[in-house]
Amino acid sequence: MATRAVILRPATTADAQAVALVHRAAFDQALSWIPPLHTPAEDLAYFSGLVVDQSTTVAERDGQVVGFTSYLDCWLNQLYVSPSEQSNGIGGTLLRAVKTEHESVAPNTPLQLWTFQANAGARRFYERHAFVAVEFTDGSRNEEREPDVRYEWVSD
């Protein structure tokens, strides 16, 4: 069976609902022990602002949003892929697009991100893509109160 193409494009306000749903599904799968802190309406409000205020890219397959990233000021703030689409290269494709954007706006400056220490899958993914852990915290500064780790990537 032929692989169906994934298209990357800038997110619009019309994508906010789909982005919120991808986030919730991927977050809940990867971090099932963390109870939801926000209602679906709060998620929608947050992601409605995010697609306007940050450089947000969606990955689309067959007209459906299956992943997204949000980038602002040298920070990769969001990278989520629908659970049914994970391990299909979409995350790597999205990450390469963010790295390219970052290099064009902030060359020789680290691209940074946070992820939870317990999110082994995310940590393996970022480390496979040349991110290096530079800071570990006890989680007291995030709303989940979950220990996290800050990663950096600097282009060659």
Side-chain angles (χ1 to χ4, degrees):
M1 182 170 130
T3 302
R4 298 175 336 258
V6 172
I7 298 166
L8 301 187
R9 65 170 175 77
T12 68
T13 54
D15 295 313
Q17 178 73 43
V19 164
L21 291 172
V22 166
H23 169 265
R24 178 57 44 211
F27 188 96
D28 288 351
Q29 180 196 44
L31 304 162
S32 60
W33 66 92
I34 299 176
L37 298 176
H38 302 285
T39 66
E42 290 169 331
D43 285 349
L44 178 57
Y46 173 78
F47 287 106
S48 293
L50 183 124
V51 299
V52 172
D53 298 335
Q54 297 189 26
S55 176
T56 303
T57 299
V58 295
E60 214 176 50
R61 185 191 303 277
D62 297 333
Q64 300 294 312
V65 173
V66 295
F68 74 97
T69 57
S70 290
Y71 168 82
L72 182 68
D73 296 333
C74 300
W75 284 90
L76 174 58
N77 294 311
Q78 308 282 335
L79 191 162
Y80 289 94
V81 175
S82 295
S84 64
E85 294 285 347
Q86 291 176 6
S87 300
N88 290 334
I90 296 170
T93 299
L94 283 162
L95 185 56
R96 283 188 295 280
V98 170
K99 285 179 169 182
T100 298
E101 178 179 359
H102 177 72
E103 287 179 309
S104 72
V105 298
N108 304 314
T109 303
L111 172 61
Q112 302 181 80
L113 64 89
W114 288 101
T115 194
F116 295 115
Q117 290 181 34
N119 192 346
R123 294 186 63 191
R124 280 191 306 273
F125 172 80
Y126 291 120
E127 290 168 9
R128 213 171 37 246
H129 289 275
F131 280 80
V132 176
V134 295
E135 179 183 3
F136 292 82
T137 78
D138 63 4
S140 62
R141 295 182 292 177
N142 64 55
E143 69 180 342
E144 295 85 359
R145 300 294 182 241
E146 185 72 25
D148 52 10
V149 54
R150 181 169 59 89
Y151 280 91
E152 289 185 351
W153 171 81
V154 179
S155 66
D156 297 329

